[in-house]
Amino acid sequence: MKFKKLASIIMATAMTFGLVACGGNSSGEKGEDTGDTANKKITIWAWDEAFNIVAANKAKEIYLKDNPDAEIEVVTMAQDDIVAKLNTSLSSGSYEGLPNIVLIEDYKIQGYLTAYKDEFADLSSVAKPSDFAEYKTGVNYVDGKLYGIPFDSGVAATFYRTDLIEQAGYIKADMENLTWEKYIEIGKAVKEKTGVAMCTLDPSDLGQIRMMLQSAGSWYTDAEGKVTVANNQALKDAIKVYKDLTESGITKQVADWDQFVGAFNKGEVATVVTGCWIGPSIKKAEDQSGKWAVAAFPKMANNKDSVNASSLGGAGWYALKNVGNSDMAVDFLGKTFASNVDLMNDLADSITLVSTLKKAAEAPNYSKGNDFFGGQEIFADFAKWTGEVPSVNYSLHTYAIEDIMTEAVQAILGGADIDSTLQSFQTQIESAVAQ
């Protein structure tokens, strides 16, 4: 199969890394499930020690209770390294050192399922799309088969300082059913009355535009994966809102993650509009406990399809079919991340996981008030908003498109005509992703 430009770049980069022999089939050939009880071992790859690795280890504990003879190795690996190693090995058909289970970001999985679908195990025997939020299975349900177990929700939300909002003359009710226009109005009052910016913006990160797009059920590509930058009304509306934000004088510019987190931990911004996974970072500022609340994501008032729900980030668990012990890998996922409410309840408390498993809403921790957020039952709200996120086709090239789109957005912010600019960049993007 002809690989796309991004995959080729990643694959070439991956050649600089040595493969880590930490699981799977040592022969380098396709593995077989022989039923040999002497080889009940699977290896799991994921990134983020404080989040995904904790989840994998807790799932391991649960599985071992009923399968004490099993051996499960959880390996921490940087996401970029996982991408590089998967591309190198799968493109060459070499399975030595690969894991049995791997965590893959939602924005990346369609590239794998397009180029290497036969390398992933069908998980339809242990889960079905209706078990999860619809927008999460839109990326890994192909030809009537479910290839991934959705994990964390990236459901977007508006985290806000109740004290600063009140000082500006507004109340919690004003933060409900927000439009971006109302958000900017409140932001101007906050800045005038308190001197605090409403939010951060990073010129090199199009996450805000990406969330606005999905709130309208749109993306940089259509349902078939064709680039739709030009004549994309939702994209135009999102860029208009983004421009209004930058010109309103209510934002604080940041350049990296540390500056982003530092801004709200130091009380330099009144809101954080992003994925729900930011909650633990907000709670690091213990002196601000009780001063925060959470509202739904703002919608674009001028776009009839835009709703108060979106998403940013998120990943799913996948079993590699040809590495070996795939039956055990599928069984592990089926008995843990695909169904276990107790696991989701535990993870809600230990890592503030917002699960996309619908049954997780029944977990006791989902109905508990959170003292930091003024006693608000934030998990119940996150679960509700997760079910309202529009499903879109992330296609194969989200990040490659955004690398080019960043320049387009900056040109428009600088005064360039939006229609002609997007038409020009449509051509550039089509050329880039077709190679």
Side-chain angles (χ1 to χ4, degrees):
M1 176 177 290
K2 180 180 178 181
F3 301 123
K4 302 299 183 181
K5 182 178 181 182
L6 179 60
S8 299
I9 293 172
I10 294 173
M11 191 168 67
T13 303
M15 296 301 291
T16 63
F17 295 96
L19 291 178
V20 180
C22 53
N25 178 30
S26 62
S27 69
E29 300 176 352
K30 290 189 177 183
E32 296 180 358
D33 287 298
T34 62
D36 183 1
T37 57
N39 185 26
K40 289 187 175 181
K41 177 180 179 180
I42 58 172
T43 298
I44 303 171
W45 283 2
W47 63 92
D48 194 342
E49 286 277 359
F51 194 82
N52 300 318
I53 297 301
V54 171
N57 278 313
K58 286 187 176 291
K60 170 183 173 179
E61 292 175 10
I62 287 175
Y63 190 77
L64 289 177
K65 287 180 182 179
D66 294 327
N67 301 274
D69 295 335
E71 182 180 352
I72 302 168
E73 181 181 16
V74 178
V75 177
T76 305
M77 189 174 295
Q79 186 180 176
D80 287 347
D81 288 354
I82 290 176
V83 169
K85 293 175 190 301
L86 285 178
N87 275 281
T88 299
S89 297
L90 296 181
S91 65
S92 65
S94 173
Y95 304 101
E96 184 174 0
L98 285 183
N100 307 89
I101 294 172
V102 60
L103 188 69
I104 300 176
E105 190 181 24
D106 292 344
Y107 297 140
K108 293 186 172 76
I109 187 56
Q110 289 194 19
Y112 287 109
L113 293 181
T114 297
Y116 312 115
K117 186 174 65 175
D118 291 340
E119 302 292 352
F120 292 89
D122 176 9
L123 303 176
S124 303
S125 63
V126 296
K128 55 185 182 293
S130 59
D131 295 336
F132 306 92
E134 181 181 355
Y135 85 94
K136 288 287 287 189
T137 55
V139 301
N140 54 35
Y141 188 63
V142 182
D143 297 331
K145 296 179 180 180
L146 185 67
Y147 288 95
I149 300 299
F151 180 44
D152 56 324
S153 169
V155 65
T158 305
F159 296 83
Y160 66 96
R161 286 278 298 270
T162 55
D163 55 335
L164 296 176
I165 296 298
E166 290 169 1
Q167 289 177 47
Y170 293 87
I171 60 176
K172 286 186 177 182
D174 294 314
M175 298 298 291
E176 301 301 319
N177 302 311
L178 270 179
T179 64
W180 279 105
E181 291 73 15
K182 184 68 173 181
Y183 176 89
I184 292 173
E185 173 197 310
I186 296 173
K188 288 179 177 178
V190 169
K191 186 66 180 293
E192 179 184 352
K193 299 291 180 63
T194 71
V196 176
M198 190 64 165
C199 66
T200 62
L201 281 182
D202 182 346
S204 65
D205 183 357
L206 298 188
Q208 290 292 345
I209 289 177
R210 200 186 311 154
M211 287 186 286
M212 293 179 206
L213 271 175
Q214 186 157 6
S215 80
S218 185
W219 206 244
Y220 305 110
T221 51
D222 63 17
E224 285 70 45
K226 182 180 178 181
V227 177
T228 55
V229 168
N231 304 315
N232 184 329
Q233 190 58 49
L235 179 57
K236 293 178 184 179
D237 293 338
I239 294 174
K240 173 64 166 58
V241 171
Y242 192 86
K243 186 174 183 180
D244 289 344
L245 276 171
T246 62
E247 294 177 349
S248 66
I250 67 172
T251 66
K252 176 181 175 61
Q253 184 168 311
V254 295
D256 56 33
W257 175 264
D258 289 340
Q259 290 182 16
F260 169 56
V261 174
F264 52 79
N265 282 167
K266 295 174 184 176
E268 296 173 347
V269 293
T271 75
V272 186
V273 186
T274 192
C276 60
W277 37 258
I278 201 62
S281 296
I282 292 175
K283 292 173 67 175
K284 286 182 179 179
E286 297 178 0
D287 60 317
Q288 296 175 15
S289 180
K291 297 180 179 180
W292 285 87
V294 189
F297 183 77
K299 67 180 180 180
M300 298 186 289
N302 292 328
N303 189 297
K304 63 180 179 59
D305 296 319
S306 184
V307 298
N308 288 112
S310 190
S311 179
L312 186 68
W317 300 98
Y318 296 83
L320 294 178
K321 182 172 67 176
N322 298 316
V323 172
N325 281 352
S326 65
D327 284 352
M328 179 179 169
V330 170
D331 186 61
F332 174 89
L333 290 176
K335 293 176 178 175
T336 55
F337 294 114
S339 63
N340 198 299
V341 175
D342 289 338
L343 173 61
M344 300 308 155
N345 188 59
D346 185 345
L347 294 176
D349 180 60
S350 59
I351 63 173
T352 321
L353 172 74
V354 179
S355 174
T356 55
L357 179 67
K358 290 180 179 178
K359 291 196 302 182
E362 305 168 4
N365 282 331
Y366 274 63
S367 59
K368 284 185 178 179
N370 189 296
D371 291 340
F372 189 94
F373 294 101
Q376 182 176 348
E377 295 178 5
I378 60 172
F379 280 101
D381 288 331
F382 289 148
K384 175 180 179 293
W385 301 330
T386 294
E388 298 169 354
V389 176
S391 180
V392 299
N393 179 6
Y394 294 139
S395 78
L396 310 179
H397 308 292
T398 291
Y399 291 125
I401 291 172
E402 286 197 345
D403 284 344
I404 302 172
M405 274 300 301
T406 299
E407 183 181 347
V409 171
Q410 292 306 312
I412 294 167
L413 294 181
D417 177 72
I418 188 168
D419 290 317
S420 59
T421 300
L422 292 181
Q423 184 62 60
S424 173
F425 277 85
Q426 165 91 16
T427 302
Q428 291 187 39
I429 292 170
E430 286 177 337
S431 177
V433 302
Q435 296 180 27

